Amino acid sequence: MKRQQLLSTKFYSLLSLVFVFILLISNLAEIKLVDVLGYAQVGAGTLFFPLLYVLNDVMTEVYGFSASRRTIWTAMIFSLVFSGLMYSVMLLPDGPDWQEKEAFEIVFGISPRIVLGSVSSYFVSELINASIISYLKFQFQGRMFAVRALFSTTIASFIESALFGYIAFYGRMPDDEMVKMICMLTIVKVLYEFVLMPFTVLLVGYLKRAEGLDVYEKPSLRKIIPF
């Protein structure tokens, strides 16, 4: 869909804002490590990040690949700007009475490897997710949304988890621990989408009726850049 058409829809802008918000919250929450049944440790951002796959599936199914791609780019730009601004704030001179410097730097002084891993894995996986579900929509003639969404999320979340783990933690944790982390992250994200699928299907149906849209759009390399 073209930009002017998207702006005339009822819910696209709201869904995009929610998408950006969830990405920012996920990145902040990822700082805290959470133990999962004594098997592996994952970032707390995993509680929120799978919602991005859900929203990506919904937006791609209703508004098409171009609309989803535009939101993915927007969220990435906001994430980079947020990180850059907070890093700039860290460089400002400290006030003589400020006692929270160490805590502030722990939260916002994220290492370049983690930033690179987070941004690149997010961007690649979300585009792959949108591409798969768009392509399969043609193949299945719009049917079996739940199956298409779960399949695309499984592929994309594994790639995202592996890419993030390799860039951010390779050489910093044992290989077997990294493999366990990647597997656990993938399983959690897919289960998350599976549990929410009944609500996702209802949301897709509602949006298609409310917007009067059901866009079919094949992804291509020339459509990756939305400008």
Side-chain angles (χ1 to χ4, degrees), residues 26-204:
S26 299
N27 288 340
L28 286 176
E30 193 68 15
I31 297 168
K32 180 180 174 67
L33 290 177
V34 178
D35 180 73
V36 181
L37 302 176
Y39 176 76
Q41 297 184 79
V42 299
T46 307
L47 292 173
F48 309 103
F49 192 84
L51 290 172
L52 296 178
Y53 288 112
V54 175
L55 284 175
N56 192 351
D57 292 341
V58 170
M59 297 175 74
T60 305
E61 180 71 11
V62 178
Y63 302 100
F65 177 78
S66 295
S68 182
R69 170 213 58 194
R70 186 181 297 275
T71 299
I72 292 168
W73 271 94
T74 300
M76 183 183 72
I77 291 170
F78 270 92
S79 180
L80 289 172
V81 170
F82 176 80
S83 298
L85 289 176
M86 296 313 299
Y87 184 76
S88 299
V89 169
M90 288 176 53
L91 299 179
L92 294 175
D94 300 336
D97 297 322
W98 190 46
Q99 305 296 324
E100 291 78 24
K101 177 179 179 180
E102 183 177 352
F104 187 87
E105 290 182 349
I106 289 175
V107 175
F108 296 107
I110 304 174
S111 73
R113 282 185 63 176
I114 291 180
V115 172
L116 177 62
S118 176
V119 171
S120 58
S121 62
Y122 150 79
F123 184 70
V124 171
S125 66
E126 292 294 343
L127 284 176
I128 288 175
N129 186 63
S131 298
I132 292 175
I133 201 167
S134 295
Y135 176 78
L136 291 180
K137 188 173 184 178
F138 276 91
Q139 301 302 311
F140 289 93
Q141 299 179 353
R143 299 188 300 270
M144 302 177 67
F145 166 73
V147 175
R148 291 186 282 116
L150 286 171
F151 177 76
S152 65
T153 296
T154 300
I155 301 299
S157 62
F158 175 75
I159 292 173
E160 183 263 326
S161 300
L163 191 59
F164 173 75
Y166 182 82
I167 294 175
F169 297 111
Y170 181 76
R172 299 173 63 182
M173 68 165 56
D175 290 347
D176 59 334
E177 286 296 321
M178 189 166 68
V179 171
K180 288 196 295 184
M181 180 187 73
I182 291 169
C183 293
M184 180 58 67
L185 285 172
T186 303
I187 291 170
V188 169
K189 290 166 189 174
V190 175
L191 285 177
Y192 207 112
E193 173 133 354
F194 179 80
V195 171
L196 292 179
M197 186 54 65
F199 304 99
T200 306
V201 171
L202 290 175
L203 178 59
V204 166

Side-chain angles (χ1 to χ4, degrees), residues 7-22:
L7 293 177
S8 66
T9 60
K10 298 177 181 178
F11 296 105
Y12 172 76
S13 295
L14 175 60
L15 291 171
S16 294
L17 286 173
V18 173
F19 192 96
V20 173
F21 174 75
I22 291 174

